[in-house]
Amino acid sequence: MAELGLNEHHQNEVINYMRFARSKRGLRLKTVDSCFQDLKESRLVEDTFTVDEVSEVLSGLQAVVYSEVESELINTAHTNVLLLRQLFSQAEKWYLKLQTDISELENRELLEQVAEFEKAEFTSSNKKPIIDTMKPKLAPLNEGGTTELLSKEISRLQEENEKLNSRLKTIEMQATHALDEKSKLERALQDLQLDQGNQKDFIKAQDLNDLENTVAALKSEFQKTLNDKTENQKSLEENLATAKHDLLRVQEQLNMAEKELEKKFQQTAAYRNMKEILTRKNDQIKDLRRRLAKYEPED
């Protein structure tokens, strides 16, 4: 690590940019010097000048220097934008998002640090070999090496994502199927409550058999899914528990239906007639006993 806190490669890139900036700055300073020299040679040919003439000469010089300085500042800003564009383009190829802190550009301490670095670097620049300026500005990113590995990793992640999406769709289909089975069982239970004959036993046996088969199939499918993807275990076990609860609930409702049928049978006309006949018979027996008691001798 060096004075700017960068590695050797990046520090060399900074030095190259400083060399470029110093070259452009030197050319502009020479241009400003030439403006003054042209003024001396073209206008300062008289021994004395009036106030108006001096004012005119200075105004002309001001316009020329202003134009040169403005042109250099604009060119410097545009050059910095092109440099940032190179860096951002390189980062985007790596799927990175760089951020800048504009406030740091006016940090006096950092600016002085850069000035000292430039002074130290270029004071002894005559003793240092000049870095080859013909090398490419940025190394290409679309040729083998790390880029190829990154591309393969992205492809692998995309394939894994597709597999997970496919598995998710399968689980959703299983959940939908389980909900359909639940709806069918609820409708079957409603039909069972409406029937009172032999159809009751048939529906009861059929529904229980279908439900047991469904539970067995779900259990087998859940076990297979657990072996493939352990992360789906919790969801599948909840579906299995729900199915078992539905089975217990159906059995309980069937028992309640049988009791309801017995209750309804007791409320039928045949049952009431039989009960009335038994009541009359009991009353007749009691009456006969009272009559016989009248004729029996007293002890």
Side-chain angles (χ1 to χ4, degrees):
M1 305 303 288
E3 293 85 346
L4 296 180
L6 302 175
N7 59 33
E8 182 178 0
H9 172 76
H10 289 159
Q11 181 168 300
N12 289 333
E13 294 295 326
V14 172
I15 293 173
N16 287 336
Y17 177 74
M18 284 185 171
R19 182 175 290 107
F20 167 77
R22 286 171 63 89
S23 174
K24 299 292 291 183
R25 185 167 67 245
L27 291 175
R28 287 300 176 183
L29 291 176
K30 289 180 180 180
T31 302
V32 173
D33 289 339
S34 66
C35 292
F36 283 88
Q37 187 64 33
D38 291 341
L39 177 64
K40 292 178 181 179
E41 295 176 355
S42 62
R43 300 297 301 273
L44 302 181
V45 295
E46 301 291 340
D47 293 335
T48 58
F49 294 90
T50 64
V51 175
D52 294 336
E53 289 174 341
V54 173
S55 177
E56 180 184 356
V57 170
L58 292 178
S59 296
L61 180 60
Q62 179 186 10
V64 174
V65 174
Y66 180 88
S67 177
E68 290 294 335
V69 173
E70 181 185 27
S71 177
E72 175 59 18
L73 292 175
I74 293 174
N75 183 71
T76 301
H78 293 174
T79 302
N80 291 334
V81 170
L82 291 179
L83 182 62
L84 289 174
R85 180 178 178 272
Q86 293 182 36
L87 296 177
F88 291 156
S89 298
Q90 189 178 37
E92 288 176 0
K93 291 181 181 180
W94 288 91
Y95 301 94
L96 300 177
K97 293 182 180 180
L98 303 182
Q99 293 181 344
T100 59
D101 188 355
I102 304 299
S103 62
E104 290 295 322
L105 300 179
E106 297 181 352
N107 189 321
R108 299 305 305 174
E109 181 179 354
L110 294 179
L111 290 175
E112 291 176 359
Q113 181 180 354
V114 173
E116 292 177 359
F117 174 78
E118 181 180 9
K119 182 179 178 181
E121 183 66 30
F122 289 97
T123 298
S124 58
S125 60
N126 295 330
K127 301 180 181 180
K128 296 182 180 179
I130 299 176
I131 301 176
D132 185 11
T133 58
M134 297 302 295
K135 67 178 183 179
K137 295 179 180 179
L138 290 176
L141 293 175
N142 54 355
E143 297 180 359
T146 308
T147 304
E148 183 178 357
L149 295 176
L150 179 61
S151 178
K152 290 181 179 180
E153 180 65 14
I154 292 174
S155 299
R156 186 188 68 79
L157 292 176
Q158 290 176 345
E159 292 178 359
E160 184 67 18
N161 186 49
E162 291 177 358
K163 291 180 181 179
L164 291 176
N165 288 334
S166 177
R167 191 59 185 169
L168 178 60
K169 291 180 180 179
T170 302
I171 297 300
E172 290 177 350
M173 292 176 62
Q174 292 177 351
T176 302
H177 179 71
L179 291 175
D180 292 340
E181 289 294 331
K182 180 180 178 181
S183 300
K184 291 180 181 179
L185 292 175
E186 290 178 349
R187 289 194 298 269
L189 179 61
Q190 292 176 357
D191 295 338
L192 180 63
Q193 291 175 344
L194 296 176
D195 295 333
Q196 297 182 359
N198 294 331
Q199 186 179 3
K200 178 194 70 174
D201 296 333
F202 174 77
I203 293 177
K204 174 182 177 181
Q206 186 67 29
D207 287 343
L208 289 176
N209 186 41
D210 292 342
L211 184 57
E212 290 174 352
N213 293 336
T214 301
V215 172
L218 287 174
K219 185 176 181 180
S220 176
E221 181 64 20
F222 290 163
Q223 186 63 38
K224 180 180 178 181
T225 303
L226 287 174
N227 294 332
D228 295 338
K229 283 290 183 178
T230 57
E231 63 183 5
N232 296 325
Q233 180 177 359
K234 183 177 179 180
S235 176
L236 296 178
E237 288 179 350
E238 290 178 353
N239 292 338
L240 179 60
T242 301
K244 289 181 177 180
H245 293 164
D246 290 341
L247 176 60
L248 296 175
R249 184 167 57 85
V250 169
Q251 291 177 343
E252 182 179 357
Q253 291 178 349
L254 289 176
N255 293 332
M256 293 176 63
E258 290 177 353
K259 293 179 180 179
E260 185 67 20
L261 289 175
E262 292 178 359
K263 182 177 180 181
K264 289 182 178 180
F265 173 75
Q266 293 177 0
Q267 296 176 356
T268 58
Y271 179 82
R272 289 195 301 271
N273 292 334
M274 184 179 296
K275 187 174 182 180
E276 291 176 359
I277 293 172
L278 290 175
T279 302
R280 287 197 301 270
K281 291 296 183 178
N282 289 333
D283 294 337
Q284 290 176 0
I285 291 172
K286 292 179 180 180
D287 184 62
L288 290 174
R289 286 178 177 176
R290 285 195 301 270
R291 292 179 181 180
L292 289 174
K294 293 179 180 181
Y295 299 100
E296 289 179 357
E298 295 180 0
D299 295 336

